Amino acid sequence: MLQIPKIIQGGMGVGVSNWRLAQAVSRLGQLGVVSGTAIDQVLVRRLADGDVGGHMRRGFEAFPFPEMAKRIWSEYFQPGGKSPGMQYPAVPMHQKRDSRKLIELLMVSNFVEVFLAREGHMNKVGVNFLEKVQLPHLASIYGAMLAGVGYVLMGAGIPLHIPGVIDNLAAGRPAEYKLSVAGAGADLDTLMRFDPLEYVEGPLPVLERPKFLAIVSSNALAITMLRRASGRVDGLVIESPTAGGHNAPPRGKLQLDGSGQPVYGERDKVNLAELRNLGVPFWMAGGYGSATKLRQALDEGAAGVQVGTAFAFSEESGLRPDLKKRLVAQAAQGIGQVFTDPLASPTGFPFKVAQLAGTYSDLGVASARTRVCDLGYLREAYATQDGKLGYRCSAEPEAAYVAKGGKLEDTIGRKCLCNALMANIGHPQTRKDRVAEPPLVTVGDDLNTVAAFLKDGKESYTAADVISSLLGNHEVAMTAEPVTAVIGS
Ligand SMILES: Cc1cc2nc3c(=O)[nH]c(=O)nc-3n(C[C@H](O)[C@H](O)[C@H](O)COP(=O)(O)O)c2cc1C
């Protein structure tokens, strides 16, 4: 028997679904999910800000390899925090072979986020990664597993080889992952490797294998994951193109509507009858943040729903309070606007952007920004002319991208999501003349529906408000134990 949640609070990077939000959701018996994407950078910036509230310190104290924790802490912690206007420390960008220090940072940061989300209750917590951001995968997953993560969720790509990685790491064996490298010939070594034995202090910890949920957008992908994955796939999240964050591109040739947004059609719809026959639980995502939609999903045979947007604007999320406030106010008036930008993300996937004056969605702000690539999570690995590995991002300075064999036309309209998403959660890098990197908020098409969670004239709402609204108050009142549907497995 497998106990599963009705509501998965979707992973929201960077740092929007932080430990605080995931903890709030899991405490209420649903599945809270932290984002592991760029969490190493988030931790560095929290430490550079002086570890406000002292939460990171608790996580470090619980880390099972104290010498490693000490090294990272003394490298990045700034007592009292950096002075305003000072730059955050530069951390080297990830590569196929990261330095030991960077690998340790990945392990510790993922551990701390999951540890804090699990504090004070016995319920499961998940971690979310994007398949496209491959370089940090192995050490990140191990770090999350050291903290007892219950679920690993991954989409934005086809994570066929992650289940096998999880199996190996759970057994204390080395794990390998093949990096996607544009233009790589057969002789280029693209295999990343991580051996826990090289990092543990003392005996290998005994780890439980977390469940693995693949986030997919079509029946074909669902079947591919179940048939061809390197290990067990415990369930599926079926995400439609109305969801916040990155969306799968429409099937077939890309067509744009009059406003420049991708057109999705019949071929992009999933066949629920087929999904029901796959034999694993599935959760519907993309516009499912209401009691009616949850009921519909359950009636259609889903185990429940994955919800992002509604939680992104809850009090607990990592999104900057002023951005939340402005967008919730727009939602309350029914005037929030979301644009599915086919160009913004260097991944090439459509990316949903809330239209908000003064942010990077604003043409003036976008054109005033000087291109710089210093975080590099969305860099693509490619084979250089002399047969080595190189890294490039279509949002980096155009000349640099073209010099690396990239096409100039691929740089048009690209935005530096790495820096923008760090700005969204209050950790913007400071540039010349004390100019801060601009934020760029991603949100689902259903932005305006979050107004439904505002009660009694209030201007904000909590994760509990979302859950009680979806489930009905009586279920949430008995919060200590997981609210479960029981499905044979
Ligand atoms: C702010 C934000 C960030 C997101 N980031 C991620 C992410 O890092 N990884 C991911 O798999 N999905 C991400 N998503 C998608 C959510 O996990 C979820 O599937 C989606 O929001 C569900 O649709 P909804 O927004 O209509 O509720 C993000 C969504 C939002 C709103």
Side-chain angles (χ1 to χ4, degrees):
M1 291 295 220
L2 174 70
Q3 295 197 314
I4 55 172
K6 277 191 191 141
I7 301 172
I8 300 176
Q9 161 259 303
M12 294 180 281
V14 171
V16 173
S17 63
N18 56 10
W19 62 270
R20 212 182 281 274
L21 173 60
Q23 193 199 84
V25 173
S26 286
R27 270 179 188 272
L28 295 172
Q30 301 304 319
L31 183 63
V33 177
V34 296
S35 167
T37 303
I39 197 70
D40 49 338
Q41 195 65 236
V42 175
L43 176 68
V44 165
R45 294 189 179 190
R46 286 176 183 157
L47 295 183
D49 285 336
D51 185 20
V52 179
H55 305 294
M56 299 304 111
R57 183 183 289 276
R58 282 203 314 285
F60 272 73
E61 282 167 1
F63 191 67
F65 315 143
E67 292 303 319
M68 191 184 294
K70 215 184 291 171
R71 282 194 290 276
I72 302 291
W73 184 266
S74 56
E75 175 85 22
Y76 295 110
F77 176 62
Q78 293 187 33
K82 72 177 185 65
S83 39
M86 289 289 290
Q87 291 214 323
Y88 281 112
V91 179
M93 292 191 257
H94 291 290
Q95 302 185 12
K96 177 170 165 276
R97 264 176 183 275
D98 272 342
S99 65
R100 185 178 178 101
K101 194 158 92 182
L102 214 46
I103 292 172
E104 292 185 355
L105 177 61
L106 284 171
M107 290 166 63
V108 173
S109 55
N110 278 277
F111 173 91
V112 168
E113 200 70 2
V114 173
F115 169 83
L116 291 173
R118 293 193 66 209
E119 241 183 351
H121 64 93
M122 299 296 286
N123 296 336
K124 301 271 185 215
V125 162
V127 67
N128 173 280
F129 299 104
L130 303 175
E131 204 280 329
K132 281 247 177 190
V133 183
Q134 296 180 329
L135 296 165
H137 275 348
L138 298 176
S140 297
I141 294 173
Y142 191 64
M145 285 172 64
L146 284 174
V149 77
Y151 286 78
V152 174
L153 299 94
M154 199 182 284
I158 310 175
L160 278 176
H161 299 289
I162 295 295
V165 163
I166 298 175
D167 287 339
N168 282 330
L169 293 177
R173 292 189 297 259
E176 293 181 335
Y177 199 81
K178 220 169 171 192
L179 189 61
S180 309
V181 181
D187 50 340
L188 189 66
D189 177 13
T190 59
L191 206 60
M192 299 189 292
R193 193 168 190 279
F194 173 86
D195 185 350
L197 268 180
E198 289 175 26
Y199 296 92
V200 295
E201 293 166 22
L204 266 175
V206 177
L207 300 177
E208 223 175 274
R209 192 231 191 235
K211 297 190 192 315
F212 177 75
L213 305 185
I215 305 170
V216 297
S217 57
S218 68
N219 290 77
L221 265 182
I223 290 169
T224 303
M225 279 306 306
L226 293 176
R227 287 208 184 132
R228 293 185 31 219
S230 58
R232 199 179 67 239
V233 175
D234 299 281
L236 300 162
V237 175
I238 313 292
E239 200 183 61
S240 84
T242 61
H246 284 95
N247 300 136
R251 303 193 71 183
K253 196 172 174 316
L254 179 68
Q255 288 184 11
L256 302 180
D257 66 14
S259 64
Q261 305 185 82
V263 178
Y264 291 88
E266 280 305 308
R267 291 176 65 197
D268 299 300
K269 295 207 172 118
V270 289
N271 180 324
L272 283 160
E274 279 179 15
L275 284 177
R276 284 193 290 270
N277 289 333
L278 293 179
V280 293
F282 63 94
W283 288 259
M284 302 302 290
Y288 280 84
S290 68
T292 318
K293 293 296 282 186
L294 171 59
R295 172 64 27 225
Q296 179 191 323
L298 294 171
D299 288 347
E300 287 169 346
V305 295
Q306 173 169 285
V307 175
T309 299
F311 288 113
F313 292 103
S314 68
E315 287 170 13
E316 293 90 340
S317 91
L319 194 60
R320 239 169 60 187
D322 60 314
L323 297 171
K324 250 184 233 177
K325 198 170 170 195
R326 287 175 63 200
L327 284 164
V328 170
Q330 285 190 3
Q333 295 174 65
I335 57 168
Q337 281 187 0
V338 182
F339 182 70
T340 307
D341 193 329
L343 297 177
S345 173
T347 61
F349 287 178
F351 186 69
K352 290 255 193 290
V353 177
Q355 303 299 290
L356 194 63
T359 71
Y360 208 167
S361 68
D362 201 319
L363 206 60
V365 174
S367 50
R369 181 181 180 271
T370 306
R371 283 186 175 225
V372 55
C373 179
D374 57 355
L375 297 178
Y377 290 92
L378 295 176
R379 291 189 309 167
E380 162 193 58
Y382 72 101
T384 63
Q385 280 183 340
D386 51 355
K388 297 210 174 84
L389 258 184
Y391 304 92
R392 64 189 176 204
C393 177
S394 51
E396 73 181 309
E398 291 91 340
Y401 184 68
V402 171
K404 296 176 189 170
K407 292 192 194 127
L408 185 60
E409 61 261 36
D410 289 343
T411 65
I412 295 168
R414 296 288 192 234
K415 294 188 163 144
C416 177
L417 296 194
C418 294
N419 271 292
L421 298 191
M422 292 300 298
N424 285 352
I425 56 167
H427 297 305
Q429 185 55 287
T430 306
R431 303 295 179 197
K432 243 179 41 201
D433 302 327
R434 296 195 158 208
V435 174
E437 282 282 356
L440 181 74
V441 183
T442 181
V443 56
D445 285 344
D446 276 358
L447 163 62
N448 290 331
T449 63
V450 305
F453 304 116
L454 297 171
K455 286 189 297 207
D456 310 326
K458 283 202 194 140
E459 290 178 358
S460 66
Y461 61 85
T462 63
D465 291 331
V466 175
I467 293 173
S468 65
S469 170
L470 263 64
L471 291 179
N473 289 315
H474 59 284
E475 278 193 73
V476 181
M478 15 173 287
T479 54
E481 294 303 318
V483 177
T484 53
V486 178
I487 286 201
S489 70

